Amino acid sequence: MYRPSQTLLNRSLLTLATIVLIRLVTLGLPDLLDSTEGRYASVAKFMLDRDDWVTPWINFHGEEQPYKGKPPLHFWLMDISYLTFGLNNFSARLPSFISAVGIGVLLATLSATLFGGAAAYLATLIFASSTIIFYLSGAAVLDITLTFGITMALVSFLLADRSRYWGHLFFIGLGLGVLVKGPIAVILAGCTIAPWLLIRRWGTGHWPPQLRSLPWIVGPLLFLATTLPWYLWAEHRNPGFLKYFFWNENFGRFFSKEYGDEYGVGHQQPVGIAWLMMLPALFPWSLILIALLVALRKQLFTRAALTALKHDPILLYALIWAISCPALLTAARQYTATYLVPSMPGFALLAVVLWRRQAEKSELTGAATTKILKWAYLLLAVTLMILPIVLILKYDSDRSSAVAGFIAGALLLALGIKTSVLEKPIAALTRITIYSAILYGFATLCLDNNLSINRSSLRVLTLASSLAKPGSTLSVGFPFYFPFSATFYGPLMTSPNMTIVQLDDEQVLVPPTDLIAVRRRNEAELLELDPAKQKLAEVGQWRIYRGSGSNIKN
């Protein structure tokens, strides 16, 4: 059986630390993106401004109103971060980063318990270096925190027969997930647990011990104690909240095209597209998985392999967990790729189980596996060389970062061609992981300016502030499209003090603001309403026009 050396394990740990550091130092880049990041960052800010830790608030249709779209746990974490580190990009994204670290700890604990230290390292490395995890762990979104709760529940369930404490954590994990995004947390956990229980019952003739080991009296009480107080309090404060939240935000989107979203427009997807979304979400590991499936197809896709799967509880659990989200979303109409995140820890666990099974058969160092890993490494190196050039040509990216990325890719390519260390699969996996993180880091640096001036409002608000008279109070109106990030950044402006206003079509004719900020795609619509509007400045996709106020320079 293959046993990695302590040196390789130490390198894996160093690699993991490097990934965490790369993600941490890029946490403030780019500016908060609209609409999702801007919306959630401003919701948490309004709660803090109002000193209201029960009702999330949002600036919508020009007025502050209760936000019935999500429970408050992630917003509480953001507010704690704001109080600790101030109101900025870093603090808005820090809760997702900490949640991702928490998922890694849970995943490492499970893998180490089942298979030992090497498995723990590999599971965490694969999880941390998947594209969607790297980026969302540095985003002001709810999905990583939701996944932490679901992962706690699924890890705890699988280990429930080993200690009663895991059984308690199972119900607490479900409660945390429900406080982040609602009953979808229970549904997603159930999409793994229920099929696994049924298949194990069918295959063995009895229910798995995990089911009997759960504390069925204390556990549900812990779940209710975690969730019920806030839901009842929120309904008391905001009558009708429960009806809107449970139907419109949790069930309607899966069954109806027009499900009544009060806060935006759902992302309509073709049926089954979730399975294709898994490919970029899991990069680079999805490419390696496809290559391995093709190389080992004669051994994997057989009746004997399916029979063995039925009698391998850990492999079966990991497989169901890995496909639970795309399976659930197959027939759904309204979702984004972020909805796939709860399956990512399952994929990492699946990779480790397969690695372990291969190691037990002394096949890990087989020619096919080694060749696939080496080609994956070389592909990453070439991608790191090509991506900066593409970003410069298409997105006018930062040239110094792009050149550095190209040089790094060239060095990695030369190293991969010359070195023989890639003949050792653990070493190859480690290098694939670290070079994936380097690729993501360079992409973040290269796209920072483009995303900040086109998908956020800080740059246009900064430009608008430069047009104000000294000592004045500046009002900026946004017609047609309202960036939620403006309600986060605008009140932070102090020179001059700034007021953000959402304008309707009638207000565009005689705007109650000093300036009007409009996206390039809506500029023609603005000029159609008032051809005499005077453009003062522009940055990225934003155009600034004169309003009717007197607080701007002549």
Side-chain angles (χ1 to χ4, degrees):
M1 187 175 100
Y2 178 80
R3 294 185 182 277
S5 67
Q6 187 61 43
T7 299
L8 285 176
L9 293 182
N10 290 340
R11 288 178 181 174
S12 297
L13 190 58
L14 179 61
T15 299
L16 181 60
T18 302
I19 295 173
V20 171
L21 181 61
I22 291 174
R23 179 67 280 188
L24 187 62
V25 299
T26 58
L27 212 55
L29 305 177
D31 297 335
L32 295 172
L33 303 182
D34 288 306
S35 60
T36 304
E37 279 199 301
R39 177 168 63 243
Y40 292 149
S42 61
V43 166
K45 180 179 179 298
F46 283 130
M47 292 181 72
L48 191 62
D49 291 342
R50 303 172 71 97
D51 196 23
D52 187 346
W53 292 77
V54 177
T55 304
W57 289 82
I58 190 172
N59 186 309
F60 201 62
H61 295 310
E63 64 180 18
E64 291 184 21
Q65 55 185 274
Y67 179 55
K68 299 179 290 184
K70 297 294 183 291
L73 179 55
H74 188 84
F75 303 133
W76 290 341
L77 297 176
M78 294 176 78
D79 283 338
I80 293 172
S81 183
Y82 289 161
L83 290 171
T84 305
F85 299 102
L87 290 159
N88 50 62
N89 300 342
F90 178 90
S91 58
R93 291 168 173 150
L94 186 60
S96 290
F97 175 82
I98 294 174
S99 296
V101 172
I103 296 170
V105 171
L106 288 168
L107 194 56
T109 301
L110 175 62
S111 302
T113 302
L114 296 175
F115 302 118
Y121 288 132
L122 288 178
T124 312
L125 291 176
I126 291 172
F127 170 76
S129 58
S130 297
T131 303
I132 197 169
I133 297 301
F134 183 90
Y135 284 111
L136 291 188
S137 64
V141 296
L142 280 60
D143 302 273
I144 298 290
T145 311
L146 170 68
T147 301
F148 173 78
I150 295 172
T151 302
M152 178 185 288
L154 291 176
V155 168
S156 300
F157 180 83
L158 196 57
L159 298 177
D161 60 331
R162 297 171 183 255
S163 169
R164 61 190 178 93
Y165 296 109
W166 286 113
H168 294 126
L169 285 175
F170 168 74
F171 289 98
I172 293 174
L174 290 179
L176 294 177
V178 170
L179 267 185
V180 174
K181 219 169 183 179
I184 190 64
V186 178
I187 294 172
L188 287 171
C191 284
T192 296
I193 294 172
W196 185 78
L197 288 173
L198 293 173
I199 294 174
R200 293 296 295 156
R201 178 69 172 82
W202 169 56
T204 64
H206 54 80
W207 295 107
Q210 286 87 348
L211 192 61
R212 299 189 299 271
S213 301
L214 292 177
W216 287 109
I217 296 178
V218 176
L221 292 177
L222 286 172
F223 173 80
L224 292 175
T226 303
T227 59
L228 197 58
W230 178 81
Y231 277 94
L232 294 179
W233 202 354
E235 176 65 21
H236 175 72
R237 286 272 194 94
N238 308 281
F241 158 75
L242 291 179
K243 180 180 178 181
Y244 172 83
F245 175 72
F246 280 101
W247 168 250
N248 296 69
E249 290 291 332
N250 284 274
F251 299 107
R253 68 174 63 243
F254 294 102
F255 303 109
S256 173
K257 179 179 178 181
E258 302 294 338
Y259 63 96
D261 186 353
E262 292 186 6
Y263 304 106
V265 179
H267 299 269
Q268 185 175 354
Q269 306 290 356
V271 174
I273 197 66
W275 294 96
L276 291 179
M277 288 180 175
M278 291 288 283
L279 297 178
L282 285 168
F283 180 87
W285 308 108
S286 53
L287 302 181
I288 296 173
L289 175 64
I290 292 173
L292 285 173
L293 290 176
V294 173
L296 302 175
R297 62 189 181 279
K298 293 182 179 180
Q299 295 98 311
L300 296 176
F301 301 106
T302 64
R303 185 180 298 274
L306 292 176
T307 302
L309 174 64
K310 184 175 66 174
H311 296 288
D312 189 334
I314 306 302
L315 178 59
L316 180 65
Y317 194 84
L319 177 62
I320 297 174
W321 187 356
I323 66 173
S324 58
C325 288
L328 178 66
L329 295 172
T330 296
R333 302 303 305 275
Q334 307 285 346
Y335 61 91
T336 64
T338 61
Y339 284 43
L340 298 170
V341 173
S343 276
M344 298 301 113
F347 178 86
L349 178 63
L350 176 62
V352 166
V353 177
L354 292 174
W355 166 78
R356 184 68 177 187
R357 297 295 183 260
Q358 289 289 88
E360 289 172 349
K361 298 176 183 179
S362 300
E363 295 176 1
L364 183 62
T365 54
T369 302
T370 302
K371 184 180 294 185
I372 288 169
L373 292 177
K374 186 164 185 175
W375 277 109
Y377 169 94
L378 296 176
L379 175 63
L380 280 173
V382 172
T383 303
L384 190 53
M385 291 177 61
I386 296 175
L387 182 64
I389 299 174
V390 174
L391 295 179
I392 287 177
L393 294 176
K394 189 171 182 179
Y395 297 107
D396 192 26
S397 300
D398 178 71
R399 293 181 179 272
S400 59
S401 299
V403 170
F406 179 85
I407 294 173
L411 292 174
L412 297 181
L413 182 61
L415 180 63
I417 293 174
K418 296 289 185 182
T419 186
S420 61
V421 73
L422 295 180
E423 301 300 322
K424 300 176 181 179
I426 293 279
L429 286 168
T430 300
R431 282 160 176 75
I432 288 172
T433 300
I434 190 63
Y435 299 149
S436 296
I438 292 173
L439 175 65
Y440 303 149
F442 276 118
T444 302
L445 292 174
C446 290
L447 288 172
D448 171 37
N449 185 64
N450 183 274
L451 291 174
S452 294
I453 65 176
N454 291 300
R455 294 283 308 280
S456 187
S457 64
L458 178 59
R459 305 296 175 88
V460 68
L461 293 179
T462 301
L463 179 60
S465 68
S466 69
L467 303 175
K469 292 180 179 178
S472 64
T473 297
L474 186 69
S475 59
V476 180
F478 290 86
F480 314 122
Y481 171 81
F482 185 72
F484 287 104
S485 63
T487 61
F488 179 84
Y489 290 122
L492 301 181
M493 298 282 184
T494 57
S495 181
N497 291 322
M498 186 174 290
T499 302
I500 304 299
V501 180
Q502 185 173 0
L503 303 176
D504 58 33
D505 289 356
E506 294 181 358
Q507 290 176 312
V508 172
L509 297 175
V510 185
T513 58
D514 299 301
L515 297 171
I516 298 175
V518 63
R519 292 188 301 176
R520 179 173 52 199
R521 68 181 64 178
N522 299 119
E523 189 174 20
E525 191 174 355
L526 172 70
L527 295 177
E528 183 177 343
L529 290 173
D530 186 356
K533 277 282 185 286
Q534 179 186 359
K535 183 163 66 174
L536 301 178
E538 62 181 69
V539 57
Q541 71 157 340
W542 293 103
R543 286 19 181 179
I544 298 178
Y545 281 82
R546 181 182 293 274
S548 59
S550 58
N551 292 324
I552 58 175
K553 302 172 184 177
N554 293 326

